[in-house]
Amino acid sequence: MEIQFSGVGHNLLYLPVYYADGSKSPANYPFRLGEDGLCRFFDPEAPPVELVFEGIAKDTPIYLNLMLDGRFEGANRADFSDARLLHRIQQVEGGFYHTVPVESAAQYRYVRYVSPDSSRCNVGELEFFDTRGERLTGTVIGSHGSDAQTSPGNAFDGNVATVVQLDPLHDAWIGLDLGVPTGIGQIRYLPRTNGKNIYEGHRYRLTYWDGHEWVTTEEQTATGHRLHCRAPENTIFYLYDATQKVQGSYFVLEDGVQRWLF
């Protein structure tokens, strides 16, 4: 349903309400006013359908290209003078975890990510695994010149909402001192995001507005960067990361494509 409005803000979400006996109740479905002055109502009366949601937050693309041509290295000298290439990033498909195998059979005490020039080592999370699939831990090492909010340790804290951003424009890097030489089986990395995407291994709660109240679908753990559920298509959705416990995101579907509201 579309009608013409004027005199109110564009690209905002509205819910008409009325007051009765000191309380307010919805008077109609929520609506959003577009730049063209047309008003779209989100009417959830249609039967639920199978839906697939992708975690592509609106600010993620800003940071994806900052990892292109970045590289992972292993070494046994602290200054990485004997560094060997483990993997070079040639494509970043989205703001979700990327897992790559490591073909090298050698063992390394030091592992690191070296960012491309002028990217300031912007990254969300880094994980190194041994040949048995066990995640490796160690002492965080890396370039200097960051504050506490964007320090190298943020890449290894398991928190997708914290990020790394270093001062050096050239040869900025972060990594781990594993203590002893270790075989590296795979690398898992997450580009910098706003912490509101869909992340593999996180548990999510998806709710939608049914015209009167918020309805929660089944809580589920993401096995990738997509979620599947049954819900009405023409409504407002709210996605909450129960693992990270960060403020959720509202979105709608337009021609099958997610549009994040705020």
Side-chain angles (χ1 to χ4, degrees):
M1 176 180 179
E2 291 185 342
I3 59 176
Q4 192 81 26
F5 271 82
S6 62
V8 294
H10 296 105
N11 291 325
L12 298 176
L13 193 63
Y14 296 91
L15 177 64
V17 299
Y18 68 88
Y19 284 87
D21 299 325
S23 61
K24 58 184 178 181
S25 301
N28 204 334
Y29 299 116
F31 66 89
R32 182 169 58 83
L33 185 64
E35 294 286 354
D36 55 6
L38 293 177
C39 178
R40 175 190 172 186
F41 280 90
F42 297 100
D43 176 356
E45 296 299 330
V49 296
E50 294 290 337
L51 299 174
V52 179
F53 302 110
E54 292 193 356
I56 305 177
K58 58 187 177 183
D59 66 346
T60 296
I62 299 173
Y63 300 106
L64 297 186
N65 290 339
L66 294 180
M67 294 194 75
L68 286 177
D69 206 37
R71 67 185 189 273
F72 294 92
E73 296 178 339
N76 284 302
R77 296 177 181 171
D79 62 0
F80 283 85
S81 59
D82 62 339
R84 293 292 182 268
L85 180 68
L86 302 179
H87 176 73
R88 185 180 297 275
I89 299 174
Q90 297 179 324
Q91 183 178 10
V92 182
E93 297 179 354
F96 47 81
Y97 280 101
H98 296 66
T99 302
V100 294
V102 174
E103 303 299 334
S104 174
Q107 295 186 332
Y108 304 99
R109 173 173 172 174
Y110 305 97
V111 288
R112 70 177 181 176
Y113 165 69
V114 183
S115 69
D117 280 352
S118 303
S119 67
R120 298 183 184 275
C121 216
N122 272 273
V123 68
E125 288 292 309
L126 297 179
E127 295 176 343
F128 295 90
F129 296 83
D130 65 18
T131 54
R132 298 172 299 174
E134 298 292 329
R135 187 169 69 87
L136 297 170
T137 60
T139 301
V140 177
I141 54 179
S143 303
H144 299 289
S146 64
D147 58 35
Q149 293 183 330
T150 60
S151 66
N154 290 346
F156 304 98
D157 64 359
N159 186 342
V160 298
T162 62
V163 300
V164 176
Q165 179 173 295
L166 305 182
D167 288 340
L169 283 175
H170 307 289
D171 299 320
W173 63 275
I174 51 177
L176 292 175
D177 176 355
L178 303 176
V180 295
T182 305
I184 310 299
Q186 66 180 24
I187 299 167
R188 190 169 180 249
Y189 64 91
L190 174 70
R192 178 175 177 173
T193 71
N194 67 354
K196 296 183 180 181
N197 282 0
I198 296 172
Y199 305 102
E200 181 181 353
H202 286 211
R203 192 158 184 82
Y204 290 91
R205 187 180 306 130
L206 181 69
T207 63
Y208 65 90
W209 183 255
D210 73 348
H212 304 282
E213 61 183 355
W214 291 101
V215 176
T216 302
T217 65
E218 181 181 0
E219 195 170 288
Q220 58 183 287
T221 299
T223 57
H225 61 281
R226 297 181 177 91
L227 294 178
H228 300 254
C229 77
R230 286 185 61 82
E233 189 171 11
N234 187 35
T235 187
I236 300 168
F237 297 92
Y238 179 77
L239 185 65
Y240 175 71
D241 186 337
T243 297
Q244 203 67 56
K245 295 182 173 60
V246 297
Q247 183 179 358
S249 300
Y250 292 89
F251 66 93
V252 297
L253 295 176
E254 294 183 342
D255 298 324
V257 179
Q258 286 169 241
R259 178 184 176 91
W260 298 90
L261 300 175
F262 44 82

